[in-house]
């Protein structure tokens, strides 16, 4: 099963659980813990948008809502900056948040220096970093790339996308609108080219027909000329015909001597 389909099924499962009418605050907090620790789930904004989660506000479980926001849009560095306001994360949650951190870094840069990654992920040495990138990112199917030990960097070839932050929506809409405008212009240009090609093709057909008609006319003229020439040759070659007459006309006449 591909990662996109697996993601979709998991999101649907947790959304339905969160939207249940009998979901209490404690149940919702447990559901958030399960979702953020799940090894195959990397998108959380749809769960975050379930109206039932408003039940968590003002309760002892309100921090679970903050955790869900963190996993939707944040990074490991964000957690460290707000660790006093958030519950302690489980090992599976820590691993998940670090995976999401790599995806966030890969959104803007396709060559990630080892030093930057080690700082962002709290990793102490290159061996530990490379093991994490191989086992927790590439084998997990959320990223692909090349580990360049000589240049000390991770060259990203693919990285799964994260949830869009609310403030990113306007920019995304603008980008998509620009792309749509460019696509419309390109489509119009292609249609004009097709129309021009059709016009040229029709013109070529007409021109070809005109040439063929002229060729046929020339052939008919040549046939007629050949026919006329053969007719003249037959006249001149007949015995006693014009050629004989001409020859006779120019032949010297013998003088007749009177008979003695």
């Amino acid at each position: 099963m591909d990662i996109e389909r697996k993601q979709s099924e998991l999101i649907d499962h947790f959304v339905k659980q969160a939207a249940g009418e009998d979901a209490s605050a404690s149940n919702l907090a447990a559901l958030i813990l399960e979702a953020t620790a799940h090894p195959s789930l990397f998108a959380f904004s749809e769960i975050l948008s379930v109206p039932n989660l408003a039940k968590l506000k003002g309760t002892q479980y309100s921090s679970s809502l903050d955790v869900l926001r963190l996993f939707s849009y944040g990074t490991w560095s964000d957690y460290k900056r707000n660790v006093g306001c958030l519950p302690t994360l489980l090992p599976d949650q820590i691993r998940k948040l670090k995976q999401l951190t790599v995806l966030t870094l890969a959104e803007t840069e396709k060559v990630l220096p080892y030093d930057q990654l080690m700082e962002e992920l709290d990793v102490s040495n290159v061996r530990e970093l490379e093991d994490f990138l191989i086992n927790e990112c590439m084998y997990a199917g959320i990223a692909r790339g090349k580990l360049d030990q000589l240049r000390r960097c991770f060259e990203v070839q693919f990285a799964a996308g994260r949830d869009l932050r609310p403030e990113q929506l306007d920019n995304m809409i603008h980008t998509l609108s620009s792309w749509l405008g460019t696509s419309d212009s390109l489509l119009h240009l292609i249609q004009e080219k097709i129309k021009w090609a059709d016009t040229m093709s029709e013109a070529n057909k007409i021109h070809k027909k005109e040439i063929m008609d002229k060729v046929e006319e020339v052939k008919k003229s040549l046939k007629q000329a050949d026919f006329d020439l053969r007719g003249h040759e037959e006249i001149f070659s007949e015995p006693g015909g014009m050629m004989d007459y001409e020859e006779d006309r120019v032949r010297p006449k013998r003088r007749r001597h009177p008979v003695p």
Side-chain angles (χ1 to χ4, degrees), residues 45-222:
S45 60
E46 290 186 53
I47 304 172
L48 184 62
S49 65
V50 175
N52 254 3
L53 292 180
K55 295 179 181 179
L56 295 172
K57 294 179 180 179
T59 71
Q60 59 180 322
Y61 304 106
S62 60
S63 61
S64 295
L65 198 55
D66 296 327
V67 170
L68 188 57
R69 290 194 187 96
L70 175 68
F71 277 76
S72 295
Y73 314 120
T75 64
W76 177 246
S77 294
D78 294 327
Y79 174 72
K80 290 192 297 180
R81 283 193 295 267
N82 298 280
V83 66
C85 306
L86 296 170
T88 301
L89 297 181
L90 300 176
D92 287 343
Q93 289 176 302
I94 293 174
R95 180 176 62 253
K96 171 69 66 61
L97 190 55
K98 289 185 177 183
Q99 290 172 309
L100 294 171
T101 299
V102 173
L103 298 183
T104 296
L105 294 173
E107 287 178 352
T108 55
E109 300 292 337
K110 297 307 176 186
V111 178
L112 303 177
Y114 279 180
D115 291 337
Q116 179 187 11
L117 288 169
M118 286 190 289
E119 181 180 355
E120 292 288 341
L121 301 177
D122 267 348
V123 175
S124 59
N125 58 71
V126 171
R127 176 62 181 273
E128 185 181 353
L129 172 64
E130 291 184 338
D131 286 346
F132 179 83
L133 293 173
I134 293 171
N135 298 324
E136 309 301 343
C137 295
M138 288 191 275
Y139 283 174
I142 61 173
R144 290 195 303 270
K146 175 184 176 183
L147 302 177
D148 191 331
Q149 294 181 337
L150 184 62
R151 297 170 55 205
R152 289 174 57 86
C153 65
F154 176 42
E155 297 180 5
V156 181
Q157 297 170 347
F158 160 81
R162 290 200 64 182
D163 294 308
L164 286 176
R165 300 176 182 87
E167 61 269 19
Q168 291 178 300
L169 292 177
D170 288 341
N171 183 55
M172 179 63 70
I173 291 172
H174 175 72
T175 300
L176 291 174
S177 297
S178 298
W179 176 83
L180 182 60
T182 302
S183 299
D184 287 341
S185 298
L186 182 59
L187 180 60
H188 179 72
L189 180 61
I190 292 173
Q191 290 173 338
E192 289 296 319
K193 290 291 186 182
I194 292 174
K195 183 178 178 180
W196 176 82
D198 289 341
T199 301
M200 292 300 297
S201 176
E202 188 63 28
N204 287 336
K205 289 179 181 179
I206 294 173
H207 182 61
K208 182 178 180 180
K209 185 178 183 304
E210 291 175 350
I211 292 176
M212 295 303 295
D213 290 343
K214 289 181 180 180
V215 169
E216 289 299 322
E217 290 179 5
V218 171
K219 286 182 178 179
K220 290 179 181 179
S221 298
L222 291 174

